[in-house]
Amino acid sequence: MQATVLVPTYNERANVESMLRALAAVLREGDRVLVIDDASPDGTGEIADRLANELPFVGVLHRERKDGLGPAYLAGFRHALRDGAELILEMDCDFSHDPADVPRLIAAAEEGADLVLGSRYVRGGRVGNWGVVRRAISRGASLYTGLFLRMGVADPTGGFKCFRRCVLETLDLDAITSKGYAFQIETTYRAKRAGFRVVELPISFVDRTAGSSKMSKAIVLEAVWRVPLLRLVI
């Protein structure tokens, strides 16, 4: 099953080349990577273009402005579906998600899972170098989401995922409006509500060592009000 890995970027010049070369070492023949760059002022898009000319499995989707994680992934979903991808993966560019785990997510989807989540909070998963506050926010978000949505998912905010194309073809992508990390909760919830089989695999998650985090108060607040809303509208 041909897989496309979506890698959204904004000011990731310190990481993008290393990430693409790391993915080159683990992807199979025919698999692809799509960098989705939101007009990074640090030149990330230009670096990605150079690498796309060098590495035949790499494509670049340039967006006009920074518009949030959710819209970037939705643009990537539509692009990958048009290109015929059978599996579509999400992962961060900052190495918080280990490229070596990509084959494990692909294998789980090929074995029958409709949506595979790389999970920090199932048995065998772990979080590396986060501080106490960041750990509390992440754990609290998982508990809060579980309280309202009862998905049976240990790590609903995680962003390391593999979708079968049938999931994305079934979901109404136009109805997904979350922009920050609430996007991850919303897509998993919609998949569960549609009856798709969701599987969590343990991963080790580490905080970035280069570049700056995109986490903000606005992202946290969006998740706070959107989670109960999802229960009402879906």
Side-chain angles (χ1 to χ4, degrees):
M1 301 178 74
Q2 189 263 320
T4 294
V5 181
L6 306 181
V7 182
T9 57
Y10 183 76
N11 286 352
E12 292 288 357
R13 66 173 297 124
N15 293 308
V16 65
E17 181 162 3
S18 297
M19 173 56 70
L20 294 179
R21 296 196 184 281
L23 286 171
V26 300
L27 292 177
R28 308 158 305 174
E29 184 176 354
D31 291 339
R32 297 190 55 78
V33 177
L34 179 67
V35 177
I36 309 157
D37 187 66
D38 277 8
S40 297
D42 73 345
T44 299
E46 288 77 7
I47 295 172
D49 283 336
R50 171 176 61 78
L51 292 165
N53 287 328
E54 176 187 342
L55 304 171
F57 66 92
V58 176
V60 185
L61 178 60
H62 292 279
R63 287 163 38 84
E64 292 183 356
R65 64 186 185 280
K66 184 181 180 183
D67 192 30
L69 184 74
Y73 270 131
L74 290 172
F77 289 164
R78 293 183 175 103
H79 191 284
L81 290 170
R82 285 195 301 270
D83 277 1
E86 295 169 280
L87 302 174
I88 297 98
L89 291 90
E90 302 178 8
M91 71 179 298
D92 293 344
C93 189
D94 61 7
F95 286 91
S96 56
H97 303 142
D98 187 348
D101 286 328
V102 167
R104 296 174 55 228
L105 270 66
I106 290 174
E110 290 188 324
E111 290 166 6
D114 297 309
L115 171 56
V116 185
L117 309 179
S119 179
R120 298 162 287 189
Y121 302 133
V122 294
R123 186 185 182 100
R126 61 179 292 272
V127 175
N129 53 347
W130 268 358
V132 174
V133 173
R134 187 69 186 274
R135 287 174 185 267
I137 291 172
S138 179
R139 276 293 198 179
S142 296
L143 293 171
Y144 180 76
T145 300
L147 176 67
F148 280 100
L149 302 183
R150 301 190 181 280
M151 289 191 287
V153 171
D155 192 1
T157 65
F160 196 13
K161 306 168 83 166
C162 180
F163 296 85
R164 280 179 175 255
R165 73 173 290 127
C166 61
V167 178
L168 299 179
E169 288 175 330
T170 299
L171 301 185
D172 181 359
L173 298 183
D174 292 330
I176 300 173
T177 56
S178 301
K179 288 183 176 265
Y181 289 99
F183 173 81
Q184 305 298 2
I185 300 169
E186 182 171 355
T187 51
T188 299
Y189 185 59
R190 288 179 179 273
K192 290 279 286 189
R193 292 284 291 175
F196 289 107
R197 180 177 176 233
V198 178
V199 171
E200 292 185 89
L201 295 183
I203 62 165
S204 293
F205 181 97
V206 295
D207 204 5
R208 67 165 63 237
T209 58
S212 58
S213 172
K214 311 304 186 294
M215 179 62 74
S216 68
K217 289 181 180 178
I219 288 172
V220 174
L221 289 173
E222 182 196 32
V224 168
W225 68 265
R226 276 194 176 271
V227 165
L229 182 64
L230 290 173
R231 180 70 179 269
L232 296 174
V233 301
I234 300 176

